[in-house]
Amino acid sequence: MHTKLYSSIFPSIILLSLVFLFLYSTFLPLYTNNNSSPLPTKKFLPLSSSSTCNLFDGNWVSNSTKAEPFYDETCPFHRNAWNCLKNKRDNMGVINSWEWVPKDCNLERIDPWRFLDLMRNRNVGFVGDSLNENFLVSFLCILRVADAGAKKWKRKGAWRGAYFPKYNVTVAYHRAVLLAKYKWEPKQSAVSAQDELKGVYRVDVDIVADEWSSITDFYDVLVFNTGHWWGYDKFPKETPLVFYRHGRPINPPLGLLDGFQLVLENMVHYIQKEVPKNTLKFWRLQSPRHFYGGEWNQNGSCLFDRPLEEDQLDLWFDPSNNGVNKEARTLNHLIKEAVQGTDIQVLDLTHLSEFRADAHPAIWLGQKDAVSIWGQDCMHLCN
């Protein structure tokens, strides 16, 4: 691993840079680039009670100012289903006109040149489910502006990534949707006599997925997430999760939330033990779904043309309302508990994401019959 640069300011700059990249890559790919913007400083960061503001607390404000795009639909790192420009999603000009404005903060413009220069000779890794991949795709397209020689990179078990030779920086994503190791086990008489059971997904709560078990020494910054696979829509009663510890089934069997909590505890313990102390570690919270009228497989839809209003958010996402989009806040609470007292910093992107019911690919998925097969995509965000 390359020599670490670790000081009181460095983690803060990386955190702020990740926030910038999330905001501008996921929601605002048409934002103006600016080579002369100053390096962010710690005073803008929501890291302690002494911070002057919280970047994650604010509102989306319409800004119709025309801007030169960072990238377009031809970026080689695009994933087709999320490439809303290529797939001609309606209202992309309006979708990209909204700007996140934190309360009492000065949110400066993103600068991929400075970010890559800061990360020179270092590597950034994302581990988790497709929400991290969704962010990575736009992340790579924005960083490519600063290094047109960027090349696709899929080593060390990475699902996708890029190498930026001008700066000797690697940025990659490792797909591990539950973080813990899991595998399909077909139905056997010894497993269950239930007629409707087709088999189970065995989850070893104390074993990390193979996809990231050998990368802890390679990356200088690691961003973890898991969440949106932890639902009965992914693992119904016919094919449930069954949790194991020390190689044996846990009895009595755990429900999904209890299993999620136990996996979190074990994954956080592993990260604290196995990831080098000087590696910057972040845990990204949920960017919630915006299904209206049903689940993804029950004709749920997100054909919206503007963000939600502040007073609508609890109706959509408060768990006490028992809607189809309630799980994000519930899972976030468990994640925050699991990382409390560790050196893993939280990227709390949930609130600012809750507004953006309008920013999903929806029916514009770039493939014939995709909606009839998979339903609308109201989970991932347009790239």
Side-chain angles (χ1 to χ4, degrees):
M1 181 183 273
H2 300 292
T3 302
K4 304 282 187 180
L5 173 60
Y6 196 92
S7 66
S8 60
I9 190 65
F10 186 61
S12 301
I13 294 173
I14 295 299
L15 175 60
L16 186 54
S17 298
L18 288 171
V19 174
F20 284 164
L21 286 163
F22 177 82
L23 287 172
Y24 292 106
S25 66
T26 306
F27 294 115
L28 297 172
L30 302 182
Y31 205 83
T32 303
N33 53 38
N34 183 356
N35 289 345
S36 61
S37 59
L39 197 63
T41 59
K42 191 173 182 179
K43 67 180 181 179
F44 298 120
L45 295 176
L47 296 180
S48 69
S49 58
S50 61
S51 298
T52 59
C53 73
N54 184 343
L55 287 172
F56 305 120
D57 183 19
N59 293 283
W60 290 94
V61 177
S62 180
N63 182 353
S64 60
T65 303
K66 298 295 182 181
E68 179 184 350
F70 263 122
Y71 65 90
D72 60 21
E73 65 271 19
T74 65
C75 172
F77 302 119
H78 265 303
R79 179 168 167 175
N80 187 52
W82 304 333
N83 190 344
C84 291
L85 293 173
K86 179 181 178 182
N87 298 333
K88 302 187 185 306
R89 192 214 191 282
D90 286 354
N91 299 318
M92 281 301 292
V94 176
I95 289 171
N96 285 322
S97 71
W98 294 90
E99 179 181 3
W100 179 251
V101 179
K103 296 177 182 177
D104 304 317
C105 288
N106 178 19
L107 181 59
E108 300 176 26
R109 292 175 176 175
I110 185 176
D111 190 333
W113 294 267
R114 286 182 178 268
F115 179 85
L116 282 173
D117 191 52
L118 177 69
M119 293 304 301
R120 187 181 297 274
N121 300 323
R122 298 180 179 88
N123 305 312
V124 182
F126 294 80
V127 181
D129 60 35
S130 58
L131 292 182
N132 255 356
E133 181 187 7
N134 190 216
F135 171 52
L136 178 96
V137 168
S138 288
F139 190 3
L140 297 181
C141 286
I142 282 187
L143 295 182
R144 180 174 175 265
V145 174
D147 188 352
K151 302 175 181 178
K152 293 183 179 180
W153 189 92
K154 293 182 66 175
R155 301 178 186 175
K156 295 185 178 291
W159 184 263
R160 69 169 66 226
Y163 174 67
F164 299 88
K166 183 177 178 181
Y167 299 89
N168 191 29
V169 171
T170 298
V171 182
Y173 161 71
H174 296 257
R175 179 179 169 86
V177 297
L178 304 183
L179 292 182
K181 184 175 183 178
Y182 83 106
K183 65 178 181 179
W184 170 250
E185 293 185 343
K187 177 181 177 180
Q188 299 176 5
S189 58
V191 175
S192 174
Q194 300 176 52
D195 291 337
E196 69 273 15
L197 190 70
K198 299 176 182 178
V200 302
Y201 285 95
R202 169 178 170 165
V203 182
D204 287 278
V205 300
D206 50 356
I207 302 176
V208 303
D210 293 340
E211 289 79 4
W212 67 282
S213 61
S214 61
I215 65 168
T216 54
D217 287 330
F218 179 71
Y219 292 106
D220 303 88
V221 179
L222 279 167
V223 183
F224 297 94
N225 93 301
T226 186
H228 90 87
W229 276 67
W230 292 87
Y232 291 104
D233 59 316
K234 295 287 188 181
F235 299 104
K237 63 181 181 179
E238 298 86 3
T239 56
L241 296 179
V242 174
F243 298 96
Y244 282 65
R245 181 168 47 196
H246 306 312
R248 296 184 178 184
I250 297 176
N251 284 309
L254 299 178
L256 269 181
L257 281 182
D258 289 334
F260 177 71
Q261 188 170 18
L262 191 56
V263 165
L264 287 177
E265 292 172 0
N266 280 274
M267 296 302 102
V268 169
H269 176 75
Y270 179 88
I271 293 167
Q272 291 295 96
K273 180 181 178 182
E274 299 296 334
V275 177
K277 182 179 180 181
N278 286 345
T279 298
L280 300 182
K281 298 175 279 287
F282 300 96
W283 201 294
R284 174 200 163 149
L285 300 187
Q286 297 295 94
S287 51
R289 310 179 302 163
H290 288 93
F291 288 101
Y292 182 79
E295 285 282 2
W296 64 274
N297 55 354
Q298 298 172 340
N299 296 319
S301 177
C302 52
L303 299 177
F304 298 94
D305 58 6
R306 60 179 295 116
L308 299 177
E309 299 291 341
E310 179 94 41
D311 59 6
Q312 294 178 283
L313 299 185
D314 283 347
L315 295 175
W316 277 72
F317 304 111
D318 190 320
S320 64
N321 292 320
N322 204 34
V324 297
N325 306 285
K326 66 181 183 298
E327 79 287 340
R329 293 187 184 183
T330 300
L331 298 180
N332 283 350
H333 176 73
L334 297 176
I335 292 168
K336 290 177 181 178
E337 283 188 342
V339 303
Q340 188 174 9
T342 72
D343 63 351
I344 302 172
Q345 299 189 55
V346 170
L347 278 171
D348 190 354
L349 304 172
T350 302
H351 179 64
L352 62 89
S353 303
E354 286 181 340
F355 291 92
R356 298 311 303 268
D358 60 323
H360 300 285
I363 61 175
W364 293 272
L365 301 176
Q367 182 178 338
K368 185 179 180 180
D369 301 326
V371 175
S372 62
I373 298 171
W374 301 108
Q376 293 189 30
D377 187 349
C378 303
M379 165 64 73
H380 304 100
L381 296 161
C382 285
N383 290 155

